Amino acid sequence: MQTNKYKLVNIAGLSEHNGIPVRTLRSFMAARKIPFLKFGHRTIFFDPEEVDRALQRFEVQEVGSRPHRGAAK
């Protein structure tokens, strides 16, 4: 049985996988919002599963999903 645990992609592959523009991904890298592996000066790889988990931290919940404390019943 083969797993995708060690499947790494470059920034273009990550952009295709997530549907996020390369420029945005580079901004996330600079802000250290997504994990990446850097081998040398130019070679950068990403684990798509780890990036997905990191991006889930920034998910915003729906406005009406949690009742307000002071809301009338």
Side-chain angles (χ1 to χ4, degrees):
M1 183 173 180
Q2 186 179 10
T3 63
N4 291 336
K5 183 176 179 181
Y6 296 106
K7 183 175 181 181
L8 300 176
V9 296
N10 62 9
I11 197 161
L14 184 65
S15 176
E16 186 176 317
H17 171 77
N18 286 341
I20 299 173
V22 171
R23 187 172 183 172
T24 303
L25 292 172
R26 290 193 190 280
S27 296
F28 288 168
M29 285 173 52
R32 300 290 196 243
K33 291 182 178 181
I34 59 173
F36 59 93
L37 301 168
K38 190 169 184 178
F39 302 99
H41 180 66
R42 293 186 186 181
T43 309
I44 299 172
F45 288 108
F46 303 87
D47 181 347
E49 293 175 8
E50 285 188 29
V51 172
D52 288 342
R53 280 194 296 269
L55 291 175
Q56 285 177 354
R57 294 186 316 214
F58 300 103
E59 184 177 348
V60 177
Q61 296 295 321
E62 183 179 335
V63 173
S65 65
R66 193 177 96 197
H68 183 66
R69 286 183 180 177
K73 295 182 180 179

